[in-house]
Amino acid sequence: MSWFLFFSFLPLVIYQMGLTFYPLRNLDVSRTLSQSICHAGQSITFDIIVERKAPFPLFYCIVEEVLPDSLQRSDTGINKYAHMNHPVSYEAKRYKKQILFPFFRRKIKASYTLSQLPRGEHQLDQIRIRTGDIFGFIKKEHLFNVNDTLIVFPNKRRIRFKYTLHSLEQGEAIVQSNDFRQTNMVAGVREYLPGDKFSWIDWKQSAKRQDVMTKEFEHEKSMEAFFILNAVSSCQWLAFEGMIEVMYSMMDVIQKTTDSKIGLLSIGKEMSYFPSHFDVGSREKIMRHLATLKPSNEDMFTDRLQRQTTVLSTHSLIFVFSCSIDIRFIESMKKLHSKHKKRLHIFLLLSKNQSIELQDTINMLVEHQIGLTVLTEVQLMKDPLEVRV
């Protein structure tokens, strides 16, 4: 009986000793992303591949992705603005781990999906591997440094412009229209296409060609649209995200529709300036900046803006975005308005309660005839988003 027990437990003892000295740190761990660049609210699939040289039997293996704090939020699209005053409800503690049973396999793979990704630059640095014996007497763990960067751009919103300011000759004239096309300069005619306005039909040419023909208009000359961003810490998280989202979408729509030059002055923890006459990759650099921007801890907007007014062209359409307003901000906008007049428009992103509390302060901008649009959760939850300029 004693020899029987000895030989029965001998394999277990050998396995326990082997597992005790098994070099978990020698595992080759890698990570692959389905895509390294995406937009807020989208999903990404991760594959973690673990390779080992010796086929030592492992009963189980727990593969865990150590997610950074920047990914401990969820972006549910326009629905997140329903609780503008309670952004904590969108903070989500994410755990991504998977248990595998490799036994003698030298290569194992764990896959998982991250959904509702928040905007930002997310550094994926660590993967934790755990294993042990079947009885739980031995537990081994090792943290592997595997570096990958995930860039999540802001959500691209559909925007409907009610009255969009246009610059016909590099700022020499300002007109208002509901379409980005200038419809008083006819370049020719073409066949009617679904979606063309009834007023565009050229009846004379239609009668000659026995087919419905519409007027084809020249696109107006490119304008310069300059954006100023007030990135301060007093903003609520959802208001700040909404501000970045609306600005990102406006830039994309204006540039694609009018082929305009886009410039940006971002004032926060660090001041970033992207002139409208920048190089070919200026758009990508601006979008990358908006994707990685975080609110600052100090309110230096007014002082820094005064030192940078010389970089603003008098012919540019200037859009100022802010999610906070005070007397100093209003004074700086008055000075800016005195130089740019009707070419200045301010976007304030506030919660509905804030807009009511700050109504008297907001009226100070209206009294000075400064272009102003206040966007609350009511407007931000509309699709498409209606913007009056």
Side-chain angles (χ1 to χ4, degrees):
M1 180 63 69
S2 61
W3 285 107
F4 173 77
L5 293 176
F6 173 76
F7 285 110
S8 297
F9 282 98
L10 185 59
L12 295 177
V13 173
I14 295 174
Y15 177 77
Q16 295 290 93
M17 293 179 62
L19 183 61
T20 302
F21 296 101
Y22 182 74
L24 199 61
R25 63 180 178 276
N26 291 341
L27 296 178
D28 186 10
V29 181
S30 61
R31 180 198 298 110
T32 58
L33 285 68
S34 59
Q35 52 184 341
S36 59
I37 298 176
C38 65
H39 288 273
Q42 293 183 347
S43 301
I44 280 187
T45 301
F46 294 76
D47 291 330
I48 298 177
I49 300 174
V50 181
E51 296 181 281
R52 52 200 184 117
K53 299 177 181 179
F56 185 83
L58 294 177
F59 177 68
Y60 73 92
C61 183
I62 299 176
V63 181
E64 179 185 0
E65 177 72 55
V66 182
L67 297 175
D69 293 337
S70 59
L71 281 174
Q72 303 303 327
R73 287 176 177 172
S74 60
D75 191 313
T76 57
I78 62 176
N79 295 325
K80 63 178 177 287
Y81 299 114
H83 304 282
M84 182 80 86
N85 294 319
H86 303 283
V88 179
S89 60
Y90 288 95
E91 294 183 359
K93 193 65 177 177
R94 299 178 189 258
Y95 296 97
K96 290 300 177 182
K97 61 176 68 176
Q98 188 173 347
I99 184 169
L100 304 172
F101 303 96
F103 296 104
F104 289 95
R105 284 183 296 167
R106 294 190 178 186
K107 183 177 180 180
I108 58 177
K109 183 174 75 171
S111 301
Y112 62 91
T113 301
L114 279 178
S115 59
Q116 298 179 349
L117 292 170
R119 178 193 64 87
E121 182 177 13
H122 311 291
Q123 297 293 336
L124 303 172
D125 297 328
Q126 295 179 324
I127 296 174
R128 181 180 288 111
I129 304 294
R130 294 191 182 102
T131 189
D133 67 327
I134 189 172
F135 303 107
F137 297 141
I138 299 176
K139 294 182 180 180
K140 300 178 71 70
E141 176 182 320
H142 190 76
L143 206 58
F144 296 87
N145 293 322
V146 184
N147 298 319
D148 284 292
T149 301
L150 173 63
I151 303 295
V152 182
F153 286 99
N155 181 26
K156 192 179 294 184
R157 299 284 303 271
R158 293 193 303 159
I159 293 184
R160 178 184 298 164
F161 286 91
K162 288 296 184 179
Y163 296 96
T164 305
L165 294 175
H166 285 256
S167 175
L168 296 179
E169 193 67 36
Q170 296 185 2
E172 291 182 2
I174 300 294
V175 298
Q176 292 183 335
S177 69
N178 287 325
D179 198 303
F180 280 108
R181 226 172 332 192
Q182 181 63 20
T183 56
N184 59 2
M185 301 174 66
V186 180
V189 293
R190 58 171 172 78
E191 293 183 0
Y192 176 84
L193 295 175
D196 289 341
K197 294 183 179 180
F198 184 78
S199 59
W200 292 353
I201 297 177
D202 191 322
W203 296 106
K204 291 183 179 179
Q205 293 296 328
S206 299
K208 290 180 181 179
R209 303 189 184 188
Q210 299 296 315
D211 197 3
V212 180
M213 307 297 293
T214 59
K215 301 174 185 177
E216 191 172 18
F217 304 98
E218 290 185 4
H219 290 279
E220 59 181 354
K221 295 183 179 180
S222 61
M223 64 178 179
E224 293 184 8
F226 199 87
F227 291 77
I228 299 176
L229 176 62
N230 179 13
V232 297
S233 60
S234 59
C235 294
Q236 294 182 357
W237 173 64
L238 282 177
F240 186 82
E241 291 300 315
M243 179 174 64
I244 299 295
E245 192 173 283
V246 174
M247 175 183 284
Y248 179 86
S249 303
M250 280 189 61
M251 284 182 172
D252 184 71
V253 170
I254 291 176
Q255 194 169 44
K256 286 184 177 179
T257 313
T258 65
D259 193 25
S260 302
K261 297 178 180 179
I262 301 294
L264 171 65
L265 177 62
S266 175
I267 301 177
K269 182 178 181 180
E270 296 180 357
M271 187 171 58
S272 301
Y273 172 57
F274 303 90
S276 56
H277 50 80
F278 212 58
D279 55 23
V280 180
S282 60
R283 181 177 181 274
E284 287 73 19
K285 292 182 180 180
I286 290 176
M287 299 310 174
R288 175 68 178 264
H289 175 75
L290 293 179
T292 59
L293 183 64
K294 296 180 181 179
S296 68
N297 295 323
E298 298 179 1
D299 188 2
M300 301 294 292
F301 176 78
T302 304
D303 298 333
R304 290 180 177 177
L305 178 61
Q306 292 178 356
R307 295 195 294 266
Q308 295 296 322
T309 52
T310 55
V311 304
L312 304 178
S313 171
T314 55
H315 299 304
S316 299
L317 300 176
I318 298 178
F319 302 103
V320 180
F321 281 78
S322 178
C323 53
S324 63
I325 182 174
D326 54 22
I327 300 300
R328 295 184 63 196
F329 176 83
I330 293 175
E331 293 300 325
S332 63
M333 291 300 102
K334 289 180 183 178
K335 294 179 181 179
L336 198 61
H337 180 254
S338 63
K339 295 181 180 179
H340 297 273
K341 300 299 181 184
K342 295 182 179 180
R343 297 183 180 91
L344 172 66
H345 195 90
I346 301 171
F347 289 88
L348 283 178
L349 281 93
L350 306 170
S351 66
K352 190 175 181 181
N353 293 338
Q354 282 182 311
S355 63
I356 296 174
E357 295 173 1
L358 298 173
Q359 190 59 51
D360 294 337
T361 308
I362 294 173
N363 289 337
M364 295 176 67
L365 290 173
V366 179
E367 291 173 359
H368 287 82
Q369 298 181 347
I370 300 176
L372 177 65
T373 299
V374 179
L375 297 175
T376 65
E377 56 266 38
V378 177
Q379 288 77 30
L380 291 174
M381 291 185 66
K382 292 182 180 180
D383 187 29
L385 176 65
E386 295 184 358
V387 176
R388 294 181 178 270
V389 179

